[in-house]
Amino acid sequence: MSTVEVRDLVKHYDKVRAVDGVSLRSADGEYLVLLGPSGCGKTTLLRTIAGLEQPTSGQVLIGDQVVNDLPPRARKIAMVFQSYALYPHKTVLANIVFPLKAEGMDKRAREERARWAAGLLGIEHLLDRKPRQLSGGERQRVALARALVRQPRVFLLDEPLSNLDAKLRASARDELKRFQQEIGTTTIYVTHDQTEAMGLGDRIAVLESGTLRQIGRPIEVYDDPADTFVATFIGSPPMNLVPRDGRLVGFRPEHLLPLELGAEDRVTLKLDVDRIEYLSGDRHVYGTATGLGEPTRVIARLPATVLTPIEPGRTYDFSIRGEKLRYFDAATGRRTDPP
Amino acid sequence: MTGGARRTLADREGALAWLFMLPSVIYILALVAVPFALAVALAFSDVTVGDPSFDWAGWANFARNFDDPVFWRALGNTFLFTAVSMLLIVVFGKILANILVADFRGKWLIRFLVLLPWTTPVALSAVAWLWLLDSIYSPIDWVLRRIGLIEGNLNWLGEPTLEMVSVIAVHVWRLTPLAAVIVMAGLVAIPREIEEAARMDGAGFWRRMFEVTIPLTLPVIAVAALFGAILTFTDMTVVYVLTRGGATHSSEVLASWAYIRGISGGDVAQGASIALFLFPLLLAAAIAILRAVRRMEVT
Ligand SMILES: Nc1ncnc2c1ncn2[C@@H]1O[C@H](COP(=O)(O)OP(=O)(O)O)[C@@H](O)[C@H]1O
Ligand SMILES: [Mg+2]
C-alpha cells in the first residue's frame, strides 16, 4: 500500500496539452476516481503515473518517493487497461501467473497465488480457457486477477467497465467496490461516467482539458462544486444556472420544488412549464424560470413522493431553500460567496 | 417465390463464387497445373533436346539420379543452403523488423537502407557481389587484410566451403528485407496495450520478446518462413550468377543441377526428374506448417 502523488504534472504531445499542470495526492488505501469528459487527459495522467509515458515536466511520487526515472516494472503498480490487454495466446492461468513469473517466483508458489487471486474474483473454473473463450465480464475479472496477484502498491484502472453492457456494469461496479475494500490497496480509477465515480470513489478528482477542476468527496463535488464546469458535469440532470447581476445562481434540479413544499428560508420563482418526463418514478419538469434572475430554462426533478399536479403549458410557483443556492462568477465560472 | 422478388444471379452465392473464382482457376490451370503435369510426364520419359519423341522410361531417370554423386552433393547442398539461409533470414528479419518499428531520429534513412537490397534488381546486385567477392580485387579481402585477419586473398567463389558461405550470404542479403517487412507487419498488428501490459507486469525486454511478441507473431513468421524455404529450396539465381555451381559442383543445388542437365545439357527428362524430386518434400512441409499455423489460431 502506498500513496500516489503528482506535482505540477505536464504532458504535451507536440501541440496537444493532454495534461496541463495537475497536482493531486491520494491517501494511503484510498479509492481515488479521476472523472472527466472524453479527451480531458485522464488516460494520459494514468499512463504517466504508470511510467508508460514520460512527463514533459513535473513529478510523480509513489510512497513519497519520486519515481520519474523508474521504469514501469520498478514502480510496483498494476494497471488494468480499458481493453484489458490479456495475452491472447496464454490461458487464463498463464495470464495471471505472468507477473509472478517475471518476478522469478517458483512454479508451485505462483500457481498457488494465482489460484488465490482467481478465487477472490470467482474465476477458478476458467483457468484453462483462452481469453477469446471468455465473456466481457470474465475478461475484466481475469485482468483484475492479473493486476492483483502481484500484490502491488497501487492499482490503476482505466475505464474497466466501459466494455460491459449496462446491467453487468452495475453489478461489476458493486463488486469492484467490495473487492477494493477487502484488499484495501490504493486505487486510482479513471472514468467518464459520473455514476461510477459517485458510487466508487472515496474522493473524486474532476478533470477538464488537462487541468484539475476540483477534488473532494462525492458529496462535496456534488453539493459544493468549485466551478460551473463541475456543477454541470456532475449531476443528472445537471445543476441549473441562472444569470443575475454578473453572477450565476446555481441550484440542483431536486431542490427546485413546488411552492407549497418549501420550508422557511426560501426564494421563490415562477416556472413556465413546457415539458414533463417520467424517469424511474421521478418527474423531470422542463420550463423557463422567471423572478430569480434573467429568464432561463431550468429543470426541476420532483421525486415520486411529490404529488402536486403539474401540466405543460401552465405557470407554477416554485421555491428553493436559500442554503441550497450556489453562486458563481459569470465571467470566470469560479465559485463566489453569496451576495 | 413471390412475384417481382425474383432471385437474381447476385443472390446465388454459390454460383457467384464460382464465377468470381473462374479467372484464377484458369490462371492456375494454365500456368501451374499444365506445366506441372508436363514436368511429371517428362520425368518418366526419355525426351532430350536431340530426340523430342516421347517414350515411356519408367523410373529409369530417378534411378540414374541415385547413382550420380553430383545429385547427392546437390541435394545435400540444397538442404544446407535452405536451412542455414532460413535460420539467418528469420533471425535477421526479426532484428531488422524491430529496428523498422522503433521510433527514433533518422528512422526514414534506416528504413530506406533496410529495404534497399530488396528493391535492387538482381542483375545489378549480382554484379556488385561478383566484384565484392572477386578473387583478386575483393574489397572484403582488403578490409580483412588491413585488420590483419588474413594474409593474401580468399577465393570466395572458387573454394568449396567459401563458395557455400558466399552463396548463403548473398541469398540472406537478398531475402532479409522481405522477411523484415513481413515480420514488421506482424509486429504492428500486436495491440500496443498488450505490449504495455507486459511492461507493467514486470517483464523485461527478453521476456516480452519470447513470451509475448514472438508467440503473437509466430503464425506470420511461420508462413513467411514456409514461403521463404520454398523459394530458397527452388532458387538457383544466386548460385547460377555467382558460381555456376562451382567447378567441382561444390556449390551445386538441385535447381541449378536440374537446369544444367535439362536445359544446358539438353537431357530434358533427366532435368525434370531432378526438379521433381523435391516436390513431395515441399508439399509435406507446406501442409505441416499450414496445419500448425491453423492450430495456433484456433486454440
Ligand atoms: N499518443 C498521443 N499522441 C498525441 N496526442 C495524444 C496521444 N495520446 C493522447 N493524446 C491526446 O491527448 C488528449 C487526452 O487524451 P486522453 O488522455 O486519452 O483522454 P481521456 O482518457 O480523458 O479520454 C486528447 O486530446 C488526445 O487526442
Ligand atoms: Mg481514456
Side-chain angles (χ1 to χ4, degrees):
Chain A
M1 261 191 280
S2 252
T3 58
V4 176
E5 183 174 0
V6 297
R7 289 186 188 152
D8 302 319
L9 198 74
V10 176
K11 176 68 188 176
H12 292 178
Y13 296 108
D14 295 327
K15 292 210 181 68
V16 184
R17 296 159 162 262
V19 175
D20 207 6
V22 171
S23 299
L24 56 80
R25 180 187 166 87
S26 83
D28 200 7
E30 185 179 32
Y31 209 116
L32 180 65
V33 175
L34 305 181
L35 173 68
S38 178
C40 71
K42 308 180 294 292
T43 298
T44 307
L45 179 54
L46 203 67
R47 290 169 56 86
T48 314
I49 294 172
L52 293 171
E53 304 281 354
Q54 275 303 311
T56 308
S57 67
Q59 287 178 318
V60 178
L61 295 89
I62 294 173
D64 294 318
Q65 178 202 358
V66 179
V67 295
N68 281 38
D69 296 327
L70 292 185
R73 59 186 167 142
R75 298 186 183 192
K76 295 214 173 59
I77 52 189
M79 183 158 171
V80 173
F81 292 83
Q82 196 167 352
S83 65
Y84 306 143
L86 300 177
Y87 309 120
H89 57 293
K90 290 180 184 288
T91 61
V92 168
L93 181 64
N95 263 279
I96 299 175
V97 297
F98 186 75
L100 301 176
K101 220 166 143 188
E103 245 175 29
M105 186 184 279
D106 76 73
K107 197 163 159 43
R108 281 266 301 286
R110 69 189 185 224
E111 293 216 346
E112 206 168 289
R113 270 277 273 291
R115 281 178 203 283
W116 162 79
L120 218 53
L121 288 152
I123 49 170
E124 300 111 313
H125 59 295
L126 304 173
L127 289 176
D128 296 326
R129 295 210 203 156
K130 291 274 176 79
R132 92 178 85 229
Q133 299 163 318
L134 303 177
S135 72
E138 290 165 344
R139 282 180 204 183
Q140 186 243 339
R141 285 172 207 211
V142 175
L144 267 178
R146 185 178 68 183
L148 156 83
V149 74
R150 214 163 32 129
Q151 298 177 320
R153 296 196 287 180
V154 179
F155 280 130
L156 305 178
L157 310 178
D158 191 0
E159 312 215 13
L161 305 183
S162 64
N163 289 329
L164 307 182
D165 59 57
K167 197 169 158 209
L168 197 55
R169 204 177 299 170
S171 65
R173 188 173 71 214
D174 183 46
E175 239 166 57
L176 218 52
K177 180 73 183 178
R178 271 195 295 129
F179 167 73
Q180 197 264 352
Q181 280 168 345
E182 223 165 279
I183 56 171
T185 305
T186 311
T187 301
I188 300 188
Y189 182 103
V190 160
T191 182
H192 67 270
D193 181 338
Q194 49 160 316
T195 327
E196 265 172 40
M198 298 299 271
L200 284 172
D202 291 330
R203 281 191 305 159
I204 299 177
V206 185
L207 295 171
E208 197 229 3
S209 310
T211 56
L212 180 65
R213 289 313 184 92
Q214 185 174 7
I215 180 164
R217 289 180 297 122
I219 192 162
E220 287 166 2
V221 292
Y222 188 79
D223 275 349
D224 285 302
D227 60 19
T228 53
F229 173 79
V230 179
T232 52
F233 187 72
I234 290 179
S236 166
M239 184 177 264
N240 296 303
L241 294 172
V242 175
R244 184 172 83 191
D245 310 330
R247 292 167 187 261
L248 296 168
V249 184
F251 53 93
R252 293 276 174 202
E254 63 270 26
H255 295 142
L256 180 59
L257 292 169
L259 183 64
E260 69 268 24
L261 296 167
E264 289 302 284
D265 154 50
R266 67 188 180 186
V267 294
T268 57
L269 53 81
K270 288 202 179 303
L271 188 63
D272 201 356
V273 177
D274 52 40
R275 195 158 65 87
I276 299 175
E277 281 175 4
Y278 292 90
L279 292 171
S280 337
D282 293 354
R283 277 184 294 176
H284 291 196
V285 180
Y286 291 74
T288 306
T290 44
L292 185 64
E294 294 168 29
T296 313
R297 269 186 68 83
V298 296
I299 305 171
R301 192 170 99 202
L302 310 186
T305 49
V306 174
L307 302 170
T308 317
I310 292 177
E311 286 166 28
R314 297 179 55 180
T315 304
Y316 297 88
D317 286 318
F318 271 67
S319 72
I320 311 156
R321 286 170 65 141
E323 57 162 14
K324 297 297 182 189
L325 295 177
R326 302 288 178 263
Y327 298 89
F328 303 93
D329 187 293
T332 63
R334 302 298 300 177
R335 185 79 180 270
T336 59
D337 294 327
Chain B
M1 212 181 282
T2 54
R6 299 270 303 277
R7 257 159 72 98
T8 64
L9 180 64
D11 293 321
R12 290 164 46 197
E13 299 199 345
L16 212 57
W18 274 105
L19 195 67
F20 283 141
M21 283 196 317
L22 203 58
S24 43
V25 170
I26 292 174
Y27 171 86
I28 289 171
L29 281 179
L31 293 174
V32 180
V34 171
F36 179 71
L38 199 63
V40 173
L42 284 173
F44 292 98
S45 75
D46 67 350
V47 174
T48 62
V49 173
D51 175 14
S53 66
F54 189 97
D55 293 299
W56 181 256
W59 295 93
N61 291 321
F62 294 94
R64 213 170 309 141
N65 282 338
F66 293 152
D67 293 335
D68 179 3
V70 178
F71 172 81
W72 290 111
R73 174 113 209 207
L75 185 66
N77 281 347
T78 305
F79 276 105
L80 184 71
F81 177 50
T82 305
V84 178
S85 306
M86 284 326 295
L87 186 70
L88 294 176
I89 288 170
V90 168
V91 171
F92 288 145
K94 165 81 179 123
I95 293 170
L96 279 189
N98 278 354
I99 295 174
L100 286 177
V101 294
D103 193 20
F104 56 92
R105 284 169 72 93
K107 61 185 171 189
W108 291 109
L109 182 68
I110 299 297
R111 287 182 183 182
F112 173 72
L113 290 178
V114 166
L115 295 179
L116 202 57
W118 187 41
T119 55
T120 313
V122 184
L124 201 67
S125 53
V127 171
W129 278 103
L130 278 176
W131 169 64
L132 281 170
L133 299 172
D134 190 274
S135 58
I136 298 169
Y137 302 110
S138 166
I140 298 174
D141 284 9
W142 184 82
V143 171
L144 291 177
R145 261 200 311 276
R146 272 303 159 107
I147 56 179
L149 283 178
I150 57 165
E151 288 171 17
N153 283 313
L154 288 178
N155 197 355
W156 289 106
L157 301 175
E159 197 272 324
T161 312
L162 282 181
E163 268 180 43
M164 282 308 283
V165 170
S166 304
V167 166
I168 289 171
V170 174
H171 190 68
V172 168
W173 175 84
R174 214 162 61 101
L175 278 193
T176 297
L178 179 61
V181 172
I182 292 171
V183 176
M184 180 178 115
L187 284 181
V188 297
I190 298 178
R192 189 175 65 145
E193 290 199 339
I194 289 190
E195 175 82 17
E196 288 174 345
R199 281 211 276 157
M200 293 300 303
D201 284 343
F205 176 80
W206 295 108
R207 185 179 297 279
R208 287 205 303 278
M209 179 146 117
F210 284 105
E211 287 210 42
V212 179
T213 325
I214 290 184
L216 287 178
T217 44
L218 203 57
V220 176
I221 293 177
V223 172
L226 168 70
F227 280 103
I230 292 176
L231 271 179
T232 309
F233 228 75
T234 56
D235 183 81
M236 58 168 282
T237 331
V238 176
V239 169
Y240 196 74
V241 167
L242 288 183
T243 67
R244 311 258 151 171
T248 59
H249 303 291
S250 44
S251 55
E252 203 77 78
V253 291
L254 282 184
S256 63
W257 184 229
Y259 178 81
I260 288 171
R261 289 301 309 266
I263 309 296
S264 313
D267 193 343
V268 179
Q270 192 68 46
S273 73
I274 296 168
L276 208 61
F277 186 80
L278 296 174
F279 175 71
L281 266 176
L282 291 178
L283 191 66
I287 290 172
I289 295 189
L290 287 177
R291 289 180 70 163
V293 168
R294 233 190 121 64
R295 210 170 36 241
M296 276 187 272
E297 276 173 0
V298 173
T299 53

